[in-house]
């Protein structure tokens, strides 16, 4: 995305990707785009397939006590919406756009390392070294953007002590499945249940994406398909018994841990961290991909200003600008997570607090509006 945004400003970039194109385009990841992220794709000319295949949702359901309560974005968030369109398709669309514009992308890059980025005023230029097509490569550049994820090389290449880590690890994970079954609801359902959280989402009119709260180190081999469906039926059931969950062949399943994580600052000399390289949110509320999009939008504008006028102030304030939005999304993701999951240490207090919170959020316009405006996304900058 950053490479695409820079290209539109006439700024050259090289993308170094450790995976294959096929892997990045097929790996199932997030699926919910905030209004601002969807607008960014459309405005920059990479939103055509999203418009065709994506699903616009004007609400979500909170289900608890066997009863569904809709949060109506049209009414509560000024007509803004979310777009259900898978991240791997966004990546594929961006690959197409960059290659159509003769963008340089190295895929399956091995042994990637970053160098000479530490001093923002130094004359030496940063370098990225790696192996591609069996050959050693070196890219010399003005700046490095570390968009290489939580496990990437950029963050650990910054000297210890320069970054402060803020972190919270949750005592649960999500077991997620992709199923060849038409979604059983038109909108997403976040279900609170005494056995744990469940989420009904989707990828297309034919494919459902469903999650259940599990142990962080849950052994997936203990979850044959029929056990997963049984648990989903229980956690998503309505008290009137009218709602039906449609089953289908499970195409993929996996367990993800959950953490909140932020490093500050998000820049060191001529290296900028963006997306998961700098921060992780627990998945509840689907903010991860959207935060990565707003980070690179801020960075592209800062670089545009630098190349147009030589002004460095936007570059120097990159971290501060991003962190204001990131911390609000951290707060929202933590809040959604705390409201909807079962905590093993609970002596009954949390359960009552959670039910009171859900009751409040679905009966107070002010509280529902707060959820809605965060869910569709706070301003990108
Ligand atoms: C999805 C993931 C989320 O974390 C969420 O809150 C909603 C939907 C998804 O993968 O579809």
């Amino acid at each position: 995305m950053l490479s695409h945004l820079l290209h539109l400003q006439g700024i050259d970039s090289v993308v170094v990707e450790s995976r294959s194109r096929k892997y990045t385009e097929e790996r199932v990841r997030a699926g919910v785009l905030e209004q601002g992220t969807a607008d960014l794709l459309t405005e920059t000319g990479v939103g055509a397939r999203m418009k065709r295949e994506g699903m616009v949702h004007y609400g979500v359901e909170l289900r608890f006590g066997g009863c569904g309560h809709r949060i109506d974005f049209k009414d509560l968030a000024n007509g803004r919406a979310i777009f259900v369109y898978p991240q791997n398709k966004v990546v594929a669309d961006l690959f197409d756009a960059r290659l159509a514009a003769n963008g340089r992308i190295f895929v399956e890059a091995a042994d990637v390392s970053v160098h000479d980025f530490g001093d923002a005023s130094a004359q030496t230029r940063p370098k990225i070294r790696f192996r591609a097509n069996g050959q050693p490569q070196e890219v010399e550049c003005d700046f490095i953007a570390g968009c290489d994820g939580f496990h990437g090389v950029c963050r650990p290449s910054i000297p210890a002590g320069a970054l402060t880590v803020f972190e919270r690890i949750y005592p649960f994970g999500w077991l997620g499945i992709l199923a060849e079954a038409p979604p059983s609801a038109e909108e997403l359902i976040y279900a609170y249940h005494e056995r744990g959280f469940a989420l009904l989402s989707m990828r297309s009119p034919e494919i459902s994406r469903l999650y259940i709260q599990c142990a962080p180190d849950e052994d997936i081999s203990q979850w044959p398909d029929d056990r997963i469906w049984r648990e989903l039926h229980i956690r998503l059931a309505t008290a009137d018994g009218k709602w039906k969950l449609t089953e289908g062949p499970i195409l993929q399943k996996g367990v993800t841990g959950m953490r909140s994580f932020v490093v500050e600052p998000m820049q060191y000399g001529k290296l900028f961290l963006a997306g998961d390289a700098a921060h992780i949110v627990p998945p509840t509320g689907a903010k991860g991909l959207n935060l990565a999009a707003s980070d690179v939008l801020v960075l592209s504008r800062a670089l545009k200003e630098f190349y147009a006028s030589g002004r460095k102030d936007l570059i120097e304030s990159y971290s501060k600008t991003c962190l204001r939005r990131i911390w609000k999304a951290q707060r929202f993701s933590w809040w959604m997570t705390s409201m909807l999951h079962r905590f093993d240490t609970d002596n009954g207090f949390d359960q009552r607090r959670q039910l009171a919170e859900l009751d409040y959020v679905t009966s107070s316009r002010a509280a529902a509006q707060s959820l809605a405006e965060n869910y569709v996304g706070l301003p990108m900058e």
Side-chain angles (χ1 to χ4, degrees):
M1 185 78 216
L2 177 61
S3 176
H4 175 62
L5 294 173
L6 292 175
H7 166 69
L8 296 179
Q9 312 294 350
I11 302 167
D12 195 17
S13 66
V14 175
V15 176
V16 181
E17 167 61 60
S18 63
R19 307 287 188 173
S20 69
R21 178 170 181 181
K22 187 169 157 43
Y23 178 92
T24 61
E25 294 187 357
E26 289 179 0
R27 184 177 170 215
V28 178
R29 305 202 66 196
V32 176
L33 309 183
E34 294 174 354
Q35 178 83 54
T37 307
D39 290 347
L40 182 63
L41 297 177
T42 304
E43 284 159 15
T44 61
V46 284
R49 185 157 68 130
M50 175 192 70
K51 212 165 217 130
R52 276 198 316 276
E53 298 177 17
M55 295 173 281
V56 187
H57 287 190
Y58 287 97
V60 289
E61 180 178 325
L62 296 179
R63 190 172 282 189
F64 58 98
C67 215
H69 304 261
R70 183 166 188 263
I71 303 289
D72 181 347
F73 301 153
K74 249 197 184 135
D75 177 32
L76 297 164
N78 279 331
R80 292 163 74 75
I82 53 149
F83 293 74
V84 177
Y85 185 66
Q87 177 173 338
N88 50 311
K89 286 193 183 175
V90 175
V91 170
D93 298 342
L94 287 165
F95 249 113
D96 285 345
R98 289 308 296 124
L99 294 178
N102 293 320
R104 279 182 293 164
I105 305 178
F106 287 94
V107 288
E108 297 180 78
D111 306 326
V112 183
S113 59
V114 288
H115 307 269
D116 301 334
F117 55 80
D119 184 349
S121 53
Q123 293 303 310
T124 46
R125 303 179 80 206
K127 291 163 200 75
I128 307 175
R129 298 197 184 111
F130 53 98
R131 295 184 67 79
N133 308 316
Q135 300 292 322
Q137 306 276 352
E138 182 176 280
V139 174
E140 214 180 87
C141 52
D142 296 339
F143 301 101
I144 298 174
C147 308
D148 53 347
F150 187 67
H151 300 287
V153 298
C154 287
R155 193 181 66 253
S157 301
I158 296 173
L163 302 178
T164 307
V165 173
F166 302 89
E167 186 169 31
R168 172 163 299 188
I169 295 176
Y170 298 86
F172 37 73
W174 279 10
L175 190 163
I177 62 163
L178 196 68
E180 203 176 331
S184 307
E186 282 180 11
E187 295 174 344
L188 272 57
I189 302 173
Y190 288 81
Y192 175 87
H193 193 277
E194 61 184 20
R195 293 171 69 91
F197 171 70
L199 170 62
L200 179 142
S201 182
M202 59 205 72
R203 288 292 176 271
S204 72
E206 297 83 33
I207 305 286
S208 295
R209 177 86 170 139
L210 296 130
Y211 300 94
I212 44 180
Q213 178 184 346
C214 62
D217 54 353
E218 192 77 45
D219 179 2
I220 194 83
S221 69
Q222 298 302 305
W223 286 86
D225 296 1
D226 62 335
R227 182 175 174 207
I228 296 175
W229 286 116
R230 214 168 16 192
E231 198 60 36
L232 283 164
H233 280 287
I234 296 171
R235 296 189 191 184
L236 287 162
T238 54
D240 63 12
K242 286 193 182 144
W243 188 80
K244 292 277 173 282
L245 175 64
T246 309
E247 294 187 18
I250 294 182
L251 305 170
Q252 209 210 52
K253 55 181 149 180
V255 171
T256 1
M258 315 230 317
R259 71 167 81 212
S260 301
F261 175 95
V262 182
V263 287
E264 295 187 9
M266 291 166 58
Q267 62 197 104
Y268 183 80
K270 295 175 183 169
L271 170 64
F272 302 93
L273 301 176
D276 283 11
H279 44 78
I280 297 283
V281 284
T284 335
K287 290 285 165 239
L289 157 71
N290 296 291
L291 282 180
S294 50
D295 285 354
V296 296
L297 177 64
V298 172
L299 186 53
S300 71
R301 289 187 176 157
L303 291 171
K304 175 189 170 195
E305 185 61 45
F306 172 74
Y307 286 112
S309 68
R311 270 178 47 201
K312 286 189 177 166
D313 50 326
L314 293 185
I315 284 184
E316 284 161 2
S317 59
Y318 165 73
S319 180
K320 190 161 166 259
T321 307
C322 290
L323 284 166
R324 275 190 73 200
R325 184 172 202 272
I326 288 160
W327 275 110
K328 284 182 212 135
Q330 288 286 354
R331 182 208 69 82
F332 178 69
S333 308
W334 161 84
W335 174 73
M336 287 281 282
T337 302
S338 315
M339 177 170 67
L340 289 162
H341 290 74
R342 195 192 155 83
F343 287 79
D344 282 345
T345 49
D346 184 22
N347 60 9
F349 182 92
D350 274 335
Q351 211 170 334
R352 279 162 179 74
R353 174 196 50 88
Q354 288 168 322
L355 285 166
E357 185 126 37
L358 285 159
D359 185 12
Y360 177 54
V361 158
T362 53
S363 60
S364 152
R365 183 175 174 84
Q369 195 156 21
S370 168
L371 190 156
E373 79 167 343
N374 279 278
Y375 200 98
V376 300
L378 297 175
M380 294 285 274
E381 277 194 90

